[in-house]
Amino acid sequence: MAIARIVNSVDETSFKPDSNMTRAQFVTLLSRALQLQSSGTVGTFSDVSADAWYNKAVYAAREANIVSGVSEKEFAPDAFITREQMAVMMVNAYLFATGKKLSDLVITQEVKYSDEGSISDWARTYVRASSGLGLVNGTDAGNFAPADNSTRAQAAVVLHLMLAKLNK
């Protein structure tokens, strides 16, 4: 992932795999992985300034229908990305890259995780799809931990899994 210039270190000597990842950082990695380009349309998120280092990545991913904001006007770039948010973005990225629709995927309704009831309604189908696709999996304890923050290591793993799946 580092050789492909998708994932960077945090400084010259460390990757810090257990550090939490922000929404802006993850969307930037995802945009690099899929080589997304923004059409240059004017942004609509009040918290994504035109000179922000992540501006083009956020809007390229939005144009590709991979990301949305936490509200209609806010993206929350500095908020840590949760596992359920990551699952939604990963499924949307997979759909974008393959040209498929969510309805094309076989999504089981079986309860797979002991904490499935704590997955937000807006994310539940995507969590099931990401699990079925092998993109974002549960924890060793049999939970999905939807509200937990995602780490840099988890982000690198899910991006690697998606790219491997797309390059089969």
Side-chain angles (χ1 to χ4, degrees):
M1 299 298 289
I3 292 171
R5 296 183 182 263
I6 295 171
V7 177
N8 299 336
S9 57
V10 293
D11 57 40
E12 290 184 24
T13 60
S14 59
F15 177 69
K16 297 190 178 179
D18 295 326
S19 294
N20 291 329
M21 176 150 288
T22 67
R23 289 171 49 84
Q25 290 168 335
F26 185 72
V27 169
T28 299
L29 299 181
L30 195 52
S31 293
R32 283 184 200 148
L34 294 175
Q35 300 176 352
L36 299 177
Q37 300 293 317
S38 174
S39 67
T41 57
V42 177
T44 57
F45 295 125
S46 63
D47 57 355
V48 177
S49 65
D51 61 347
W53 60 267
Y54 47 81
N55 176 291
K56 289 182 180 173
V58 168
Y59 288 113
R62 182 179 179 152
E63 290 168 24
N65 294 316
I66 293 172
V67 300
S68 59
V70 295
S71 73
E72 198 171 301
K73 297 283 185 188
E74 293 183 328
F75 181 73
D78 297 323
F80 293 130
I81 188 169
T82 64
R83 290 177 45 79
E84 68 184 1
Q85 290 171 348
M86 183 184 291
V88 170
M89 290 182 201
M90 291 304 297
V91 170
N92 285 336
Y94 175 82
L95 296 173
F96 170 79
T98 60
K100 294 181 179 181
K101 297 177 186 165
L102 188 59
S103 60
D104 295 335
L105 302 179
V106 175
I107 302 171
T108 179
Q109 295 304 310
E110 116 186 36
V111 174
K112 184 171 183 177
Y113 302 110
S114 57
D115 61 348
E116 187 153 332
S118 64
I119 299 170
S120 299
D121 290 340
W122 53 266
R124 188 165 291 126
T125 298
Y126 291 90
V127 168
R128 288 176 175 163
S130 71
S131 180
L133 290 167
L135 298 175
V136 183
N137 296 308
T139 67
D140 291 338
N143 295 320
F144 186 77
D148 285 5
N149 295 328
S150 296
T151 65
R152 292 175 49 82
Q154 290 170 347
V157 168
V158 299
L159 289 169
H160 173 74
L161 291 171
M162 181 187 66
L163 290 174
K165 183 171 256 335
L166 293 174
N167 292 321
K168 279 188 176 183

